[in-house]
Amino acid sequence: MIQPIDYAAIAAPLLLALTAGLVLLLDAFLPRPRVEAASAATAHTVRPVGERVAAARVGISPGADHGSPGNGARRAEGASPFSRSGLTLSLVTLAGLLGALAIVLAQALSGTTLRTFCVPAGLTPQGGPVPCSFVIDPFALTIAGLVLVSAIVVTLLSMTELADGRIPVGEWYFLLLCSITGAVLLPASRDLITLVVALEIVSLPVFALTALRRYDGRSSEAALKLFLVSVVSTAVMLFGVSLLYGLTGTVYLDRLSLATGPRLVSAVAVVLVVAGFAFKIAAVPFHSWAGDVYQGAPVPVAALLSVISKAAGFAGLILLLVLALDAQVALWGPMVAVLAGLTMTVGNLLALRQRHAVRLLAWSSVAQSGYILAPLGVAAAGTAGVPGTAGIAGTAGAPGMQPANASIAYLVFYAAMNLGAFAVVMLVSRRSARNEIDDYRGLAFRDAPAAVALGFCLICLAGLPPGLAGLFAKIVVFREIVGGGGAVLALVMAVNTVIGLYYYVAWTARLFTPSPTAGEVPATRTRATTPIAVAAVLAVAVAVAFSVAPQAVLGLLPGSLSAAG
């Protein structure tokens, strides 16, 4: 039976997919002129963005260690940062992201819930709601908006990463847009098949993005580790999904009910699904890949993993737990609470030992995943809710900020803070090959704006004034944990917040401590670093706005849910 498609509902991901195809088409036909390096000190030929460069031409030996992007960036510093074709592809990508964001904003302002790919009315039980595979509601719009704004920042970071000519531009932007398309599709998915396919669309392009820096042993190693971990997590999750389908006979999330299924099999299905998503969000004990992958990947990819991929993973986890498996909250609630406590504790303890900036942010990101998970661990049956899903599930929520809303709010606050930190780290990495924490000592005397931006983001992540965005995020989570009766989990989070203060404040202190190195000169801006500066300004401006007016985030998340008609 042929069903009509509501193109207004799928407009945002459809535009992103068309933009990805346009980027690939333009990359095939746009000219790629050669640009010679302006400085003889580079001792090799540098080509503009988009040029496919062999190892012998760029002077990169296959066995060289280029874990830090600083080496390649300094070699290309004398060259023009963008060719006309590379700049065209960058602008087309940004235009597609801005267009998709405009569509999401228009859908949010309309206030209507859009549904498509629905079961024909004649095949649904009399009087029952019509199940749909794709639903645009406040939850989907909130996550999609977060993903698209973050993608704009990642694209700005990518413009500098691609300036040295070591990475093919067309392939990079095509893969990036594919991953963003999946991240926008995922929160609107309302059946198991669409959910799993969208999650894999997010994950698969990231493997290639991680390895696109050619002849870089560390990037290749990171891509292989990420691939192996993702394959295992997908296999585990698919096994759990198959059990869910076998127990219930349906793939629609609002129709899943395990109350009549065998208790042991139901428990195994829930555990496997949660474990599969725990891999995706780097929750303990499925976290070991994070440090090496973040450090080995290009910095824009690390930023993508820490925010966009994490947002998609949490969106899928919330949909499954809160919408599909709400009747099993007594089973998965304690398990998620234990995962949250372990994740924040192990992440913070590992971050304490780090000396590399990206690795520290990687383990910090793991700890932040624990904070985001925590409200879900104290969700109570009948009170957990996702904005806008009540009409789909056919239930109304209780008044007050709900556990899933607290997790989403923390995720939004965290995205702005973390992206700002990654932007400044990428800027410093182009001047320091090691990119260790000690390299940031005295940054305020060399580049005061970068030091202030990074310091503010770190203070936000620590939850200290004037970084009130992080403080509000933690207050929202604490309130839900305590209100849900999770006194032990609240105590664990309080202890971990203090642990996190140490390495965030220690890094911030280094920024404003005079460096013992004599003769340092202030950093100079180049055209290659301009997109990084724009990305940092954008991320920090959002973090400042959230610190001044946190209700801008909390207002997106309705305090109560009402059944849709």
Side-chain angles (χ1 to χ4, degrees), residues 18-36:
L18 292 175
T19 305
L22 179 60
V23 164
L24 210 57
L25 187 65
L26 290 174
D27 182 58
F29 291 101
L30 284 175
R32 304 189 185 100
R34 293 186 180 185
V35 178
E36 297 299 323

Side-chain angles (χ1 to χ4, degrees), residues 52-346:
R52 311 305 184 254
V53 184
R57 287 189 178 274
V58 296
I60 304 174
S61 62
D65 180 10
H66 304 288
S68 168
N71 297 334
R74 286 195 302 275
R75 284 197 295 268
E77 196 70 32
S80 173
F82 300 108
S83 68
R84 182 174 299 178
S85 60
L87 182 59
T88 299
L89 295 177
S90 300
L91 294 178
V92 168
T93 301
L94 283 173
L97 293 172
L98 290 171
L101 181 59
I103 292 172
V104 169
L105 291 175
Q107 291 172 338
L109 292 175
S110 70
T112 59
T113 298
L114 303 175
R115 296 178 174 85
T116 189
F117 304 114
C118 299
V119 173
L123 300 180
T124 58
Q126 188 68 24
V130 177
C132 299
S133 295
F134 195 84
V135 178
I136 296 295
D137 56 16
F139 171 69
L141 292 173
T142 301
I143 300 297
L146 165 64
V147 166
L148 290 169
V149 173
S150 302
I152 291 171
V153 175
V154 171
T155 301
L156 290 171
L157 298 180
S158 300
M159 293 173 71
T160 299
E161 182 68 33
L162 301 172
D164 60 12
R166 288 198 295 161
I167 298 176
V169 158
E171 288 89 331
W172 176 280
Y173 283 132
F174 172 76
L175 293 168
L176 177 63
L177 285 166
C178 288
S179 184
I180 302 304
T181 301
V184 173
L185 282 170
L186 194 144
S189 303
R190 292 298 185 271
D191 70 59
L192 293 172
I193 298 173
T194 307
L195 189 69
V196 171
V197 170
L199 187 62
E200 291 311 300
I201 293 175
V202 178
S203 303
L204 291 176
V206 180
F207 309 150
L209 285 171
T210 303
L212 272 186
R213 198 161 56 199
R214 301 181 182 182
Y215 307 104
D216 188 328
R218 185 166 292 176
S219 291
S220 300
E221 178 186 355
L224 181 60
K225 287 182 178 179
L226 184 60
F227 171 75
L228 294 175
V229 168
S230 185
V231 166
V232 172
S233 67
T234 300
V236 170
M237 183 175 58
L238 284 176
F239 191 19
V241 166
S242 67
L243 289 177
L244 290 179
Y245 175 72
L247 288 170
T248 62
T250 182
V251 295
Y252 292 99
L253 300 183
D254 57 348
R255 296 290 181 91
L256 290 177
S257 175
L258 303 181
T260 59
R263 183 173 180 82
L264 179 58
V265 180
S266 301
V268 171
V270 173
V271 169
L272 291 177
V273 168
V274 172
F277 276 96
F279 274 106
K280 302 293 185 183
I281 61 176
V284 174
F286 314 107
H287 65 291
S288 58
W289 59 272
D292 291 339
V293 171
Y294 277 58
Q295 184 180 3
V299 176
V301 177
L304 184 149
L305 284 169
S306 73
V307 175
I308 297 175
S309 181
K310 191 181 295 292
F314 272 107
L317 186 62
I318 289 172
L319 284 173
L320 273 171
L321 294 183
V322 176
L323 179 58
L325 303 175
D326 57 329
Q328 299 293 315
V329 66
L331 173 62
W332 57 257
M335 179 171 57
V336 172
V338 171
L339 282 178
L342 288 175
T343 299
M344 62 180 74
T345 302
V346 173

